[in-house]
Amino acid sequence: MSDITRRGFTKLAGLATMQPAMASAAFMTSPEEDAVQAVAGDRQFPKDFLWGTATASYQVEGAAKEDGRGVSVWDTFSHTPGKVVNDANGDVADDHYHRYKQDVQLMQALGVKGYRFSIAWPRVFPGGSGAPNPKGLDFYNRLVDELLANGIQPYATLYHWDLPQPLQDKGGGWESRETAKAFGDYAGHVASGLSDRVKDWFTVNEFWVFINLGYRFGTHAPGLKLSNARVNQAAHNAVLGHGLAVQAIRARAKGSVRVGIADSTSIGVPVIETPEHIAAAQQATRESNAQAMTVIQEGKYTDKFLRDAGADAPKYTAEELKIISTPLDFIGLNIYTGYFVAADSSKPEGYAVVANPKSYPHMASSWLNVCPESLYWGPRHVSKMWGNKPIYITENGCSSSDIQEKDGKVYDTDRVMYLRNYLTQLGRAANEGVPVRGYFLWSLMDNFEWADGYTNRFGLHYVDYATQTRTPKLSANYYREVIARNSVL
Ligand code: GBH
């Protein structure tokens, strides 16, 4: 070890005794801070980078029967025995509906400048379409005002999976084009009510997930196991709904707004970072998102998708493809993990997915393989393929087997490890000029984790569900430092 390095280490070791969140001028000139600056220098994020956090209506709100809220497919599904771990449901969840002011204070303490939340369609249209519930938007009006009063920008998602049950009963939910139309109408109605203050909109959260888990595998609401052809048609109707919503939001907004999407675009990561594997990973990313991000960006299904689907391909018109590909103002990517890809000239598509060995590390959720590079390659592939639009990471985070220790604290060192590595890769993209503009950490607090119920915790704040107490975890302190310094550390 050289002298310089050894001196650097000594300084860094001294940091452990320092208080968090010190940013005074005096502090900035201390030798300890010099050490941090030296380390952080190349991990600095662009100025104006938007640090945020995210939740979704059914996962946090509770108040399932209040103020005229209708029933969603997730109420029905979670109240069906055997569907959710421990038969849990979102009737109360984090009681965010009543505790939103306190939750905005948690955001304030973190220092986030953006909050991504979702609007519960059945609160606004209990029947899915038809007459709006006059009390439906009241909660979101209160929430938005509270956010703005605290200097936090609202980023609203219109569909995070809580489809009004009547639309499921009538036409089979997304199996019907009527649902796509109803979604457009609902989106326009909400935009006209909130867009004087909400300027940033996401239409749909994660097509692949609610279509495949809901309609193919039956593990999410509405719990169906349909044929390939019917699933493909539902997926098509969902992207059509997205396009109709983009147009409706713009048509009915008060003043200028920005509209995008929050998609679980699956990310191919080059198995080794050589030009041929990089090209292969980009191509794999394009093909593996053929039914969502790719058709939205390109206005057509890829040849490979249509060939593979054969007679099971969805039915659609050229006019629908135009609606689906209505240009967006920004792209939101929910990225948790990635899959490895290698160039393979023996395959017609020119690439092969490399399966991971059993020993590949994952976080508390078994699906959540540790793949920090996905936060570099995701934005980079997207901007390379589809132009230099602003990109937001609309979700990233992880589950941990958090427990509250005797001192009341939660030491989620694994989440800190995860965030440090992922943010380093995101910073790499930003510093290379990939237009990443912001990052929403999933999630502000532990919440109803869909089919896993309350057994998997993704929050920066630990929630004691018996008392509704929120406790900042070690990762909350970590994220606060990242935000304060605008740098990974
Ligand atoms: C996000 O989806 C959701 O938007 C958010 O609501 C959720 O809380 C968060 O992730 C954490 O899960 O168990 O094998 O069936 C992320 C993508 C895809 C992750 C489906 C879970 C289930 C895999 N999700 N996946 S499996």
Side-chain angles (χ1 to χ4, degrees):
M1 202 188 276
S2 78
D3 246 317
I4 293 174
T5 323
R6 202 176 299 131
R7 233 179 293 133
F9 266 100
T10 322
K11 284 181 186 174
L12 278 175
L15 284 176
T17 60
M18 294 193 323
Q19 296 301 308
M22 290 166 72
S24 70
F27 177 72
M28 299 298 278
T29 59
S30 73
E32 288 84 356
E33 182 66 6
D34 289 347
V36 168
Q37 294 291 324
V39 173
D42 55 346
R43 299 178 177 198
Q44 201 67 35
F45 275 71
K47 99 176 177 7
D48 300 332
F49 190 82
L50 184 111
W51 296 102
T53 186
T55 64
S57 48
Y58 191 68
Q59 295 181 272
V60 299
E61 284 180 2
K65 299 210 166 95
E66 240 158 293
D67 295 331
R69 177 184 178 277
V71 174
S72 84
V73 293
W74 266 98
D75 294 295
T76 308
F77 186 78
S78 63
H79 281 271
T80 308
K83 299 296 185 191
V84 173
V85 174
N86 298 332
D87 287 339
N89 59 59
D91 287 2
V92 177
D94 290 328
D95 196 31
H96 175 69
Y97 194 81
H98 299 114
R99 295 170 196 261
Y100 68 96
K101 285 193 179 172
Q102 175 195 340
D103 293 335
V104 171
Q105 287 313 303
L106 300 179
M107 298 175 212
Q108 179 75 293
L110 286 171
V112 294
K113 287 282 177 281
Y115 176 49
R116 175 175 172 248
F117 61 95
S118 83
I119 289 162
W121 185 349
R123 286 198 195 279
V124 185
F125 288 95
S129 56
N133 166 25
K135 288 190 172 169
L137 280 180
D138 287 358
F139 169 66
Y140 303 103
N141 270 309
R142 293 195 293 277
L143 174 64
V144 165
D145 289 342
E146 187 69 14
L147 289 165
L148 290 172
N150 283 276
I152 299 168
Q153 290 305 311
Y155 285 73
T157 304
L158 286 155
Y159 187 73
H160 202 126
W161 311 349
D162 38 5
L163 184 79
Q165 184 65 42
L167 294 178
Q168 191 64 45
D169 297 339
K170 248 183 273 160
W174 291 107
E175 282 205 81
S176 164
R177 275 183 175 73
E178 292 306 310
T179 295
K181 285 195 196 134
F183 181 60
D185 294 344
Y186 150 72
H189 175 81
V190 175
S192 85
L194 296 179
S195 59
D196 57 328
R197 287 152 296 146
V198 179
K199 296 298 176 188
D200 294 277
W201 295 87
F202 303 102
T203 55
V204 171
N205 184 72
E206 303 192 344
F207 294 97
W208 188 94
V209 180
F210 72 87
I211 292 296
N212 282 283
L213 273 52
Y215 291 78
R216 188 192 299 279
F217 305 130
T219 53
H220 275 196
L224 303 173
K225 293 184 182 170
L226 303 180
S227 67
N228 218 10
R230 287 174 69 180
V231 174
N232 286 340
Q233 194 63 50
H236 176 79
N237 295 339
V239 286
L240 177 61
H242 151 79
L244 291 169
V246 174
Q247 298 186 348
I249 293 166
R250 288 186 180 139
R252 300 194 53 193
K254 307 218 164 73
S256 75
V257 291
R258 296 170 288 268
V259 189
I261 194 166
D263 186 46
S264 52
T265 305
S266 75
I267 306 301
V269 172
V271 68
I272 303 171
E273 293 188 1
T274 59
E276 64 274 22
H277 296 319
I278 291 170
Q282 184 177 304
Q283 187 56 15
T285 302
R286 179 172 176 265
E287 291 296 354
S288 64
N289 296 288
Q291 289 176 279
M293 193 58 94
T294 306
V295 68
I296 287 169
Q297 296 297 336
E298 300 184 7
K300 56 182 170 53
Y301 289 106
T302 67
D303 295 342
K304 174 172 158 52
F305 167 73
L306 291 175
R307 214 171 36 241
D308 291 352
D312 292 338
K315 310 270 179 290
Y316 55 87
T317 65
E319 175 59 22
E320 286 174 356
L321 290 179
K322 262 172 80 183
I323 296 169
I324 290 166
S325 58
T326 306
L328 302 176
D329 298 301
F330 54 73
I331 298 174
L333 302 172
N334 294 4
I335 300 179
Y336 289 85
T337 187
Y339 59 95
F340 291 104
V341 179
D344 186 343
S345 54
S346 73
K347 298 257 168 59
E349 56 271 22
Y351 66 84
V353 173
V354 182
N356 290 324
K358 247 178 87 181
S359 57
Y360 196 92
H362 62 77
M363 305 305 290
S365 307
S366 57
W367 57 268
L368 217 175
N369 285 339
V370 180
C371 188
E373 297 79 8
S374 57
L375 223 43
Y376 171 75
W377 289 105
R380 183 174 145 159
H381 288 326
V382 164
S383 67
K384 278 249 149 81
M385 286 191 286
W386 298 311
N388 253 14
K389 270 190 197 112
I391 293 172
Y392 289 87
I393 302 303
T394 31
E395 283 181 32
N396 171 251
C398 70
S399 49
S400 161
S401 55
D402 300 316
I403 44 166
Q404 219 168 354
E405 298 294 343
K406 290 208 177 63
D407 62 2
K409 302 217 163 91
V410 178
Y411 297 95
D412 54 342
T413 53
D414 53 347
R415 184 174 286 107
V416 173
M417 174 280 293
Y418 176 100
L419 293 173
R420 179 184 296 118
N421 282 285
Y422 276 69
L423 289 176
T424 298
Q425 293 291 329
L426 185 65
R428 179 186 169 202
N431 287 318
E432 281 181 18
V434 179
V436 275
R437 301 281 183 254
Y439 171 89
F440 295 88
L441 202 157
W442 184 275
S443 177
L444 173 65
M445 54 191 165
D446 299 335
N447 57 48
F448 178 75
E449 178 55 17
W450 307 114
D452 289 342
Y454 296 98
T455 58
N456 250 333
R457 295 174 176 271
F458 275 78
L460 290 169
H461 294 88
Y462 184 90
V463 177
D464 177 339
Y465 293 107
T467 62
Q468 290 295 344
T469 309
R470 285 88 157 114
T471 304
K473 303 176 190 175
L474 181 68
S475 56
N477 295 339
Y478 172 75
Y479 194 41
R480 177 158 44 78
E481 295 288 344
V482 167
I483 294 171
R485 295 163 201 250
N486 198 33
S487 170
V488 188
L489 72 167

